[in-house]
Amino acid sequence: IYNKVDPSIPLFVFVVSIISFLLFIFYKIINNNIRNHDVGNTPNRQGIELYSKEFGDDYFSFSLSGVKFLVLNSQIYSDPSQCLDLFDEQNSWLENQLIEANKQGYKHIIIFQHIPWFITAPNDADQYFTIPLTRRIPMLQLFRKYNVIFLILFDENVKRK
């Protein structure tokens, strides 16, 4: 990128600009990453619509320098019982995003979410802090199929032993 920048712009200004941009992106991800404190452990349409009205989309994507970033509403994966239509909608969107990212040749795909899929291994028993196996395994298979390289989580309650 730097070799395409006007040579009169000092390297320091360029680096500070890039760092500022990345900090802005991560601020947006962290603040728009929907959590159980936002919509409850069993989300419903009304709660998600309220969240979206106040903070923006509950899931979204963006790309930067050949990397596709997907931010998921993981609360829906934890317990979709009160919003099955939104669960299906996000799953369809996600798979389409992954298909398009592969077609467009993105170097990497990174997913951000709140609730972890598992703590120590994909086949971990169900527990409060993870997404249930019935939804976890198919999603992890989907991620593997489309070469997702990182899953970045924002649940500070989870600690490995």
Side-chain angles (χ1 to χ4, degrees):
I1 294 174
Y2 186 67
N3 63 355
K4 296 179 183 176
V5 175
D6 184 329
S8 66
I9 299 173
L11 177 61
F12 173 76
V13 171
F14 177 72
V15 170
V16 168
S17 297
I18 293 294
I19 291 170
S20 297
F21 176 73
L22 291 175
L23 287 173
F24 168 77
I25 293 296
F26 284 111
Y27 172 80
K28 179 163 176 52
I29 290 169
I30 289 168
N31 283 312
N32 274 35
N33 194 265
I34 196 165
R35 298 173 290 273
N36 56 315
H37 310 287
D38 302 318
V39 297
N41 290 327
T42 305
N44 59 42
R45 176 173 287 282
Q46 180 184 10
I48 291 172
E49 286 175 353
L50 264 161
Y51 174 89
S52 297
K53 183 178 177 184
E54 187 68 28
F55 299 104
D57 294 333
D58 60 316
Y59 59 91
F60 57 95
S61 69
F62 63 95
S63 56
L64 176 67
S65 298
V67 179
K68 184 71 168 186
F69 297 91
L70 304 168
V71 181
L72 301 182
N73 174 353
S74 58
Q75 291 308 126
I76 284 182
Y77 291 104
S78 182
D79 182 357
S81 62
Q82 300 298 310
C83 55
L84 289 171
D85 58 328
L86 297 177
F87 173 77
D88 291 340
E89 185 179 299
Q90 180 173 285
N91 275 341
S92 177
W93 171 86
L94 175 59
E95 187 157 13
N96 287 333
Q97 290 287 313
L98 292 171
I99 290 168
E100 286 304 310
N102 274 249
K103 280 183 187 175
Q104 294 173 11
Y106 281 95
K107 291 183 271 186
H108 305 292
I109 301 171
I110 299 174
I111 293 179
F112 295 91
Q113 64 189 64
H114 179 64
I115 301 173
W117 297 99
F118 58 89
I119 304 297
T120 56
N123 61 348
D124 283 350
D126 290 348
Q127 57 178 295
Y128 175 78
F129 289 113
T130 62
I131 292 170
L133 273 166
T134 57
R135 289 178 290 283
R136 179 188 323 154
I137 298 303
M139 295 310 296
L140 293 176
Q141 290 170 344
L142 183 73
F143 298 156
R144 188 174 297 118
K145 177 180 177 180
Y146 290 106
N147 303 312
V148 173
I149 61 162
F150 286 112
L151 296 169
I152 299 175
L153 313 167
F154 292 105
D155 193 334
E156 66 280 354
N157 299 313
V158 176
K159 294 176 180 62
R160 284 189 170 191
K161 295 180 181 185

